[in-house]
Amino acid sequence: MAEKRVALVTGAGRGIGACIAKTLAADACDIAVVDYSDASAAEETMRELAELGAAARYYQCDVSGFAAVKAVADQIVKDFGKIDILVNNAGVTADDLLLRMSEAEWDRVLSINLKGCFNMIKHVTPYMLRKRYGRIVSISSVVGLMGNAGQANYAASKAGIIGLTKSVAKELGSRNITANAVAPGFIRTAMTDALTDEQKQAMYKLIPLGSLGEVQDIANAVKFLVSEDARYITGVVLKVDGGMYI
């Protein structure tokens, strides 16, 4: 039996991150669940990972903290022996029109969404370099490609992830480390479920496939990009948006 790979997934306590973690666990990966929520929020995810046969541990960490991320990366390697896959999924929003957006709202979103990716890549890749193997996938967004009124901070952070991904792909490709991004469109979540039918219909009109995506659609894209089927793919932005941005 092939040796299991170890995947570090940020923001894995719930939502898209939890789905990514479970999808990779079902694909013979052990999982380091990194999340800033209470441990109780990740309890159900941890239980499901165990049922899937994965060795899983939870690490509470604010990814915007440079030293904190280094400590977590070092601890994960001590616990699991290696990190083969890094999925940068942790992210927040603080939406407002630019004229009303506060400095704190700008700084928080950029620090977690973009600097968090930098921190993780910075501290995880030395371990990948030693093994001459690594798969990095960062979750961007179609708004990082097209912009969105009321989300200048979020769009900037997600556009930044794309530039970071392409740069990392060029720097580390010679060491058999790939770096790619996934750009989700409108995905069905608790937030979209709360929208009115009128609001949902307005969203559907923007999507050629005429429906919202599911969290599993994002997890499937990540699973592909970290697989051997994608061994010759690096520096790409894989849109999972139903054709919303073409």
Side-chain angles (χ1 to χ4, degrees):
M1 181 181 293
E3 182 183 5
K4 281 184 140 187
R5 293 185 297 169
V6 175
L8 187 172
V9 185
T10 69
R14 64 187 75 186
I16 291 174
C19 188
I20 291 170
K22 288 181 278 189
T23 299
L24 295 181
D27 195 40
C29 290
D30 291 328
I31 310 293
V33 172
V34 175
D35 201 279
Y36 193 51
S37 305
D38 295 334
S40 58
E43 226 169 75
E44 179 64 16
T45 300
M46 296 295 289
R47 184 186 66 77
E48 292 182 37
L49 291 173
E51 288 179 355
L52 289 166
R57 295 198 183 194
Y58 168 75
Y59 303 85
Q60 189 174 44
C61 178
D62 178 351
V63 296
S64 68
F66 188 82
V69 169
K70 184 180 189 310
V72 163
D74 291 346
Q75 188 60 51
I76 290 169
V77 172
K78 285 181 183 177
D79 293 340
F80 288 93
K82 59 179 182 172
I83 300 171
D84 300 297
I85 297 165
L86 168 62
V87 181
N88 289 308
N89 168 74
V92 297
T93 59
D95 298 348
D96 211 339
L97 294 174
L98 183 65
L99 291 176
R100 292 202 292 258
M101 186 175 290
S102 69
E103 181 182 14
E105 288 171 331
W106 174 270
D107 287 347
R108 179 169 180 262
V109 171
L110 269 291
S111 291
I112 294 173
N113 296 8
L114 182 54
K115 188 187 175 192
C117 286
F118 163 77
N119 289 342
M120 276 289 166
I121 293 169
K122 170 77 173 177
H123 295 309
V124 168
T125 52
Y127 294 108
M128 293 179 171
L129 287 166
R130 290 173 199 170
K131 294 181 67 67
R132 296 185 70 88
Y133 177 88
R135 299 290 179 261
I136 301 167
V137 179
S138 299
I139 306 301
S140 180
S141 169
V142 291
V143 304
L145 295 165
M146 61 189 284
N148 198 31
Q151 288 193 308
N153 50 1
Y154 186 75
S157 71
K158 294 302 185 177
I161 286 172
I162 292 170
L164 174 62
T165 294
K166 290 176 181 289
S167 299
V168 170
K170 289 186 175 183
E171 290 187 17
L172 302 182
S174 64
R175 303 300 181 88
N176 193 31
I177 298 171
T178 64
N180 295 292
V182 173
F186 287 133
I187 304 300
R188 191 185 309 279
T189 62
M191 183 176 69
T192 58
D193 286 343
L195 296 174
T196 66
D197 288 341
E198 185 179 2
Q199 289 172 320
K200 289 178 183 177
Q201 289 304 317
M203 290 171 63
Y204 296 153
K205 288 178 182 178
L206 300 174
I207 306 169
L209 289 184
S211 64
L212 301 181
E214 305 290 343
V215 292
Q216 189 65 57
D217 295 320
I218 308 306
N220 289 343
V222 173
K223 176 184 172 182
F224 168 67
L225 288 172
V226 303
S227 74
E228 283 308 296
D229 290 337
R231 67 165 199 88
Y232 202 57
I233 298 173
T234 194
V236 307
V237 181
L238 179 55
K239 295 188 288 87
V240 185
D241 65 351
M244 179 180 164
Y245 180 70
I246 296 176

